[in-house]
């Protein structure tokens, strides 16, 4: 993990020329939302079946059916989704036991981080944070 996360690979940032980086944080968050063309659309990509709902203090889930009644499996082929799914088998739920991280798992983490950093929201986030703190946020070069 440390190898891929502490020694980031070079990514070429695709900066937007017309964005006002002086916007306040609320406007920046809204801009992030607007940029996210990778999120799933509840009308087209999935259907939820919330049934009778659940309260946070309830210990059990009383739903008889799965939460998702339909999911377009083509969504799982998108680069960020596919890279995330590849990570799911990497972690041990057993507490108190050190994980052994293989080179393949390090590669999967790197692939996921690179895929996320290539998205428009993360490109903007880097650009915005760098404008706010140029000495604290590394450039893309």
């Amino acid at each position: 993990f440390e190898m891929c996360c502490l020694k980031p690979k070079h990514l070429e940032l695709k900066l937007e020329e017309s964005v006002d980086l002086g916007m306040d944080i609320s406007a920046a968050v809204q801009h992030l939302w607007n940029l996210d063309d990778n999120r799933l659309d509840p009308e087209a990509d999935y259907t939820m079946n919330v049934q009778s709902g659940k309260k946070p203090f309830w210990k059990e889930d009383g739903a008889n059916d799965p939460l998702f009644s339909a999911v377009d499996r083509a969504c799982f082929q998108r680069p960020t989704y596919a890279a995330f799914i590849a990570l799911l088998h990497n972690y041990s739920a057993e507490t108190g036991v050190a994980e052994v991280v293989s080179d393949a798992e390090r590669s999967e983490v790197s692939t996921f981080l690179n895929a996320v950093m290539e998205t428009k929201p993360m490109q903007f986030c880097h650009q915005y944070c760098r404008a706010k703190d140029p000495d604290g946020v590394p450039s893309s070069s």
Side-chain angles (χ1 to χ4, degrees), residues 6 11 20 23 35-36 47 49 62 64 90 99 104 113 117 127 133:
L6 297 179
L11 288 174
D20 173 20
M23 67 179 82
L35 284 173
D36 188 5
T47 305
N49 180 5
N64 293 323
N90 290 357
E99 289 189 35
L113 292 174
M117 288 306 298
Q127 185 180 13
D133 186 9

Side-chain angles (χ1 to χ4, degrees), residues 37-57:
D37 56 8
N38 192 40
R39 70 173 166 261
L40 299 184
D41 179 350
E43 302 299 318
D45 299 320
Y46 65 92
T47 305
M48 292 181 69
N49 180 5
V50 295
Q51 298 160 67
S52 62
K54 180 179 180 338
K55 303 290 183 200
F57 53 85

Side-chain angles (χ1 to χ4, degrees), residues 32-42 45-46 72 74-84 112 114-122:
L32 280 171
W33 178 262
N34 296 343
L35 284 173
D36 188 5
D37 56 8
N38 192 40
R39 70 173 166 261
L40 299 184
D41 179 350
D45 299 320
Y46 65 92
D72 180 359
C75 297
F76 300 146
Q77 301 307 312
R78 296 179 187 180
T80 51
Y81 291 84
F84 175 75
F112 173 70
N114 287 335
V116 168
M117 288 306 298
E118 290 289 332
T119 64
K120 291 176 187 176
M122 290 307 294

Side-chain angles (χ1 to χ4, degrees):
F1 179 76
E2 292 81 7
M3 301 268 310
C4 69
C5 294
L6 297 179
K7 295 180 182 175
K9 294 182 175 150
H10 175 72
L11 288 174
E12 189 63 38
L13 296 178
K14 299 166 196 78
L15 305 178
E16 295 180 45
E17 299 297 328
S18 62
V19 175
D20 173 20
L21 296 176
M23 67 179 82
D24 67 19
I25 191 69
S26 294
V29 169
Q30 183 62 55
H31 189 66
L32 280 171
W33 178 262
N34 296 343
L35 284 173
D36 188 5
D37 56 8
N38 192 40
R39 70 173 166 261
L40 299 184
D41 179 350
E43 302 299 318
D45 299 320
Y46 65 92
T47 305
M48 292 181 69
N49 180 5
V50 295
Q51 298 160 67
S52 62
K54 180 179 180 338
K55 303 290 183 200
F57 53 85
W58 293 352
K59 293 186 187 234
E60 288 84 27
D61 180 357
N64 293 323
D65 299 316
L67 176 60
F68 291 93
S69 55
V71 178
D72 180 359
R73 294 197 172 269
C75 297
F76 300 146
Q77 301 307 312
R78 296 179 187 180
T80 51
Y81 291 84
F84 175 75
I85 290 167
L87 295 175
L88 295 178
H89 71 280
N90 290 357
Y91 304 100
S92 170
E94 191 174 350
T95 59
V97 176
E99 289 189 35
V100 176
V101 181
S102 69
D103 288 340
E105 290 173 332
R106 284 186 190 87
S107 177
E108 289 170 347
V109 170
S110 181
T111 297
F112 173 70
L113 292 174
N114 287 335
V116 168
M117 288 306 298
E118 290 289 332
T119 64
K120 291 176 187 176
M122 290 307 294
Q123 295 282 316
F124 169 74
C125 191
H126 179 268
Q127 185 180 13
Y128 180 79
C129 290
R130 179 135 173 84
K132 297 296 182 191
D133 186 9
D135 295 329
V137 178
S139 70
S140 64
S141 54

